Amino acid sequence: MVLGAGGVLGSAWMIGAMRAVETETGRDLGSSDLVVGTSAGSVVAALLSLGVGIDVMANSERGLYEVGDPVLDYRDLGASLPPRPRMRMGSPRLLTASALHPRHASPMVTLAAILPQGRGKISAVGDLVSAAMDRQGLDLAEWPAPPILRVVAMNFDTGHRVLFGSPDAPRVTLPEAVMASCAIPGWYAPIESGGQRFVDGGTRSPTSVDLLADAGLEEVLVLAPACSLASDRPRGAVAMVERQVRRAATRRLLREVELVEAAGTRVTVLSPGPEDLAVMGGNLMDLTRRAEVFETSLRTTRAALRASARSRPRPRPARAADAAVATGARATSADRAVAAAATTATSRARTGTRGGAGVEGGAGTGEGAGPPKGRLGLDLAG
């Protein structure tokens, strides 16, 4: 299972969507063999791997807590707008690398290098993960398993993606990895470890699902709150800019999905639909919208899954086209997802893993250790 970037509201949307998947299908997403998290997705992935159930996270979104439960209170991260940054370039070395290798540098990576250095503190996220580890009796140096957990960040000086938790990645604690994955350039200060600086993995990719292309997977479920297969028509300037960025992220996601599918892996994508986007607005860090985003996601994802189940063809062909599902929209394969986003069809996904990936430089990935090839058995069609 792959959990993508998306800020505070992306986290709320993701928890709502995951809760809908569990209630509609009866499946336990916490029993996935592999969970890969980026930015906001890394927080959810870490908590899930530490035994915090989706039901507990859902209750937290509603302000309901049991004694000992982790509290997803993002108010400690500061206001919904970034603090005044330092008046110095974020990463001159990354800008130089982008200039020398323009084909490997996306506009987001170049922008991250140019933006002033952020002053915000992301320690509240690390504290949340640390508290969940303490609850499980884990030392900070340990990584939970199962499921196998991978956390995506970006090296702020080279622009390479790093898959923390894999054998080839730098050794950091889980709280450090999650903080690095969430450190938005220009907003939060980079996380330093071992003489290297790391920032938000969403700078390179909204999900980094392509890192699994050579992992020998059978099926992958992707939740991509920063992407949309069917968009709305916002009027506000901020929301209009956000939708432009979202469209670029969606194109990146679909290219990555094609790479994974080409390797013989079935991929299902869940992403916000028009109704979700209308509630999200243009600032994914707007804490005031969090509860409404969660409830909307819970409702729209449940409706999409039920509609998908009703329209599922029987019998299913042995080698059917892979699915890409948006909340309230469905596409029959990645390369036709945008064009077919207004239609509803079937959706089916399972997760399994064999191996993993390490540090990505350019297009390459490293091979890591993992369990035998298997399936979780997640049937989104019910």
Side-chain angles (χ1 to χ4, degrees):
M1 181 167 61
V2 177
L3 306 179
V8 171
L9 298 187
S11 174
W13 177 88
M14 202 156 21
I15 293 171
M18 295 171 73
R19 183 59 178 159
V21 169
E22 289 197 334
T23 57
E24 289 299 307
T25 67
R27 303 295 178 177
D28 177 15
L29 296 181
S31 63
S32 303
D33 295 312
L34 167 70
V35 182
V36 177
T38 299
S39 195
S42 73
V43 181
V44 178
L47 293 178
L48 198 63
S49 70
L50 290 167
V52 180
I54 298 300
D55 58 333
V56 173
M57 296 188 218
N59 286 339
S60 184
E61 293 293 331
R62 289 170 166 154
L64 305 174
Y65 312 105
E66 297 286 342
V67 176
D69 285 346
V71 179
L72 280 72
D73 187 351
Y74 293 107
R75 289 175 296 181
D76 291 337
L77 294 178
S80 297
L81 294 175
R84 185 176 179 179
R86 301 179 186 277
M87 291 297 101
R88 64 179 69 173
M89 186 183 297
S91 179
R93 289 184 59 188
L94 179 57
L95 182 61
T96 300
S98 299
L100 293 175
H101 306 283
R103 293 185 179 181
H104 298 292
S106 69
M108 286 293 290
V109 171
T110 303
L111 178 62
I114 296 174
L115 285 174
Q117 291 183 13
R119 289 180 182 268
K121 301 298 182 182
I122 200 76
S123 57
V125 169
D127 293 341
L128 175 65
V129 176
S130 296
M133 294 182 70
D134 185 64
R135 181 188 181 196
Q136 292 292 316
L138 293 176
D139 185 85
L140 284 179
E142 298 180 73
W143 275 61
I148 292 176
L149 174 64
R150 300 291 183 257
V151 174
V152 184
M154 184 183 79
N155 186 304
F156 202 29
D157 292 317
T158 66
H160 293 167
R161 281 179 294 185
V162 178
L163 204 56
F164 287 121
S166 63
D168 298 333
R171 298 288 296 177
V172 299
T173 66
L174 180 55
E176 287 176 330
V178 173
M179 287 191 294
S181 186
C182 293
I184 304 171
W187 192 313
Y188 298 110
I191 299 301
E192 299 186 18
S193 179
Q196 301 181 74
R197 299 188 301 162
F198 303 99
V199 294
D200 196 322
T203 306
R204 277 295 306 266
S205 168
T207 66
S208 286
V209 66
D210 61 317
L211 293 180
L212 304 181
D214 299 325
L217 305 179
E218 289 187 3
E219 297 174 284
V220 175
L221 169 63
V222 181
L223 286 94
C227 305
S228 289
L229 301 177
S231 189
D232 62 345
R233 295 178 179 272
R235 295 184 179 181
V238 174
M240 291 174 68
V241 172
E242 194 277 343
R243 300 303 185 268
Q244 291 285 349
V245 175
R246 183 174 291 271
R247 279 191 281 273
T250 303
R251 289 192 294 269
R252 168 80 188 228
L253 169 65
L254 296 179
R255 289 195 298 268
E256 293 183 0
V257 167
E258 288 179 350
L259 291 174
V260 179
E261 289 179 329
T265 300
R266 182 182 302 165
V267 181
T268 295
V269 176
L270 290 172
S271 63
E275 191 173 350
D276 300 286
L277 295 177
V279 176
M280 284 179 163
N283 181 4
L284 295 180
M285 298 296 286
D286 187 351
L287 293 170
T288 64
R289 296 173 178 255
R290 179 181 162 196
E292 189 177 3
V293 168
F294 166 76
E295 297 294 349
T296 302
S297 173
L298 189 64
R299 174 170 47 80
T300 56
T301 304
R302 182 184 295 124
L305 294 175
R306 290 176 179 176
S308 175
R310 287 195 299 269
S311 62
R312 180 174 57 169
R314 297 179 183 277
R316 182 183 175 92
R319 296 183 61 85
D322 296 333
V325 182
T327 305
R330 171 68 161 74
T332 55
S333 67
D335 58 348
R336 296 196 300 274
V338 175
T343 66
T344 302
T346 66
S347 169
R348 185 179 183 89
R350 296 186 179 93
T351 60
T353 179
R354 183 184 63 192
V359 180
E360 187 256 8
T365 61
E367 186 70 12
K373 197 169 189 176
R375 298 189 178 196
L376 167 62
L378 171 62
D379 188 348
L380 294 186

